[in-house]
Amino acid sequence: MTTLVMKFGGSAVGMTIGLTQLLSIVLHEQDRWGRLLVVVSALDGVTDNLLEAAHLAQLSNRRGYRRIVANLRQRHLALIEALPLGVTERTALQADIDQMLFDMLTLCQSMSDSPDTVQPDMINGVVAIGEKLAARIVAALLRQNQLRSVAIDATDLMITDNVFGNATPNIPLTRQRITQNLLPMLDRRIIPVITGFIGSTMTGKTTVLGRGGSDYTASVLGVCIDADEIWIWTDVDGMMSADPNQIEAAHSIPMLSYDETAELAYFGARILHARMIEPLRERQIVLRVRNVFKPQQPGTLIQKTAPDVSNGLKAVTSIQGLALTAQHSGALAPVAALIDEVLFTITGSHTDVMISSQSSAHSFLCFIIPTSAGQDAAHNLQLESEERLLEHFPDAGWSVRAVSVITAIGTQIGQQQRLIADLLRALGSTHILAMAQGPGGCSFSIVTELEDGEQALMHLHDVILHGDQ
C-alpha cells in the first residue's frame, strides 16, 4: 500500500487562499495513495507571538501575554469565519480554540505567579499551542469536504529526549507509538492531521524540535510509517539556487541529492529543517519540495542520485557564524569545547561544523550559528562567549565577532578545481577570513566579514548563472 506524507507550512494554513489550495491538493491525492498523512505548522508568525507571550509571562507582564492571547484568538476565529464550514463544524472548532487558548492563559498565569519555578516544558507548552490550533482548523476543513480526518497532537506520538528547545526524536519509541495508535487509523483511510514541531519526553513533558521543526516531524513520521514519499509544501517553487529574498535572480533546482540538500539546509537554506534529511537518507525515502500556490509545478526532487560532475554548482547559501581570533597559535580543542558548551546552552545545538585556520602567530575559529537558534542568538552567543573565554583563558586575548559564512553547493564540487577557481575569481577583492571544503565533497565555504557577506553571495551566485548559460 503506497503511503504519502505531506507537510504544509504556515504560509499555507495561515490564509484562506492557502487553505483552499491545501484542500484541493489533499482531495486530488487521496485517491492516488493508499494512505495519506498531513503535517501542519502554526500560522505564519504565531510561534514568535507565543514565544513572546511565554517571555512576558516570566516577567509577570500579565497585560502583555493576555493581549497576545486575545490577538491570537481574533486571528484564528477570523480565519474560521472566512472558511466554508457548516454551523456545527464552525461552532465546535471555535469551542476547541477557546479551550486551548484558555489553557494557555492558565499556563501563562502560573508562570507569571511563580517566575522562579518556570520549567522549559512549561515554555514549550505555550509554544506548542500554535500547531495545535492549526491542526484543528485543517482537520475541520477536510471533514467539511467529506474526508474522514482527525487532528492529532504529536505529543501523543513523538517521543524525544529532554533537550526542550531542540529535541531529538527517539525513532524506536516513536515507531512503537505510531504502530499502536496511528497505523490502524491510516489503514481505515482516515487522514490524520498531525501537529509539527512538537513532541514529548517519556514522562509526558512537552518538547519542541527547534525552529522549522515541522519538516523534521514529517521526516520522522515518514520513516516510522515506511512512507514512499514526503512532500513539503511551501510558498516557493522548490529548493532555490539562493534565497530569493537576497538574490532576485534565484531559480528553483529540479533535482538534488540527499547530501546536497543536507548541506543546503545546514548552511542556511530556510526551506528545510537541517536535521530532517538524515532519516530519509537512511531509508531512501523520496522527498519533494513544492509550491502550494503552484501545485502544477514539479518543484524539487530529492533522492539518492548517481554522481554527476556535469551538474556543477547548484546553489549558494548564507548563514551567520561566530568567529574567534587570537594573536597567537596553540591548541584549539579547549576553546572549541567551551564554545560548544555555550552554543548548546543558548541554542540547544552542538557545534556540528567548525572552520579553523592557524599560522605561527594567529588563530582563527568559526562556528556556524544554526538558523533554528532565533534572531537574538548571534548577539547572545557573542556576549556569553566573550565572558566565558575571558574567565577560562584570561591571558589568551581571544576576540569574538559575528561573520558571514557563504557556501557553494554542488555535486563533487571538491573534484572540480576549475569551478573552485571560478568561485574565488568571482569574489574579486573580497577579504576572505577562512575557507573550507566539506568532507562530503559537495560544499565549499568561505568566511567573510559580516558587511561583505551579501556582496560575496551575489558574486558566487553569478557563477551559477553563467554556468547555466
Side-chain angles (χ1 to χ4, degrees), residues 6 8 17-30 36 141-142 145 147 233 292 295:
M6 295 196 295
F8 293 88
I17 186 174
L19 286 169
T20 301
Q21 289 295 109
L22 181 155
L23 174 62
S24 176
I25 290 166
V26 173
L27 286 169
H28 182 262
E29 300 300 333
Q30 61 147 345
L36 194 60
L141 182 62
L142 297 183
N145 287 270
L147 294 172
W233 291 97
V292 70

Side-chain angles (χ1 to χ4, degrees), residues 427-446:
L427 290 170
S429 60
T430 302
H431 180 42
I432 299 175
L433 302 173
M435 64 179 72
Q437 180 184 312
C442 64
S443 67
F444 179 74
S445 299
I446 63 146

Side-chain angles (χ1 to χ4, degrees), residues 379-395:
H379 180 66
N380 294 336
L381 281 168
Q382 181 174 346
L383 293 179
E384 183 67 18
S385 297
E386 287 173 343
E387 183 177 327
R388 296 287 294 278
L389 286 166
L390 186 61
E391 176 185 348
H392 288 80
F393 309 103
D395 301 322

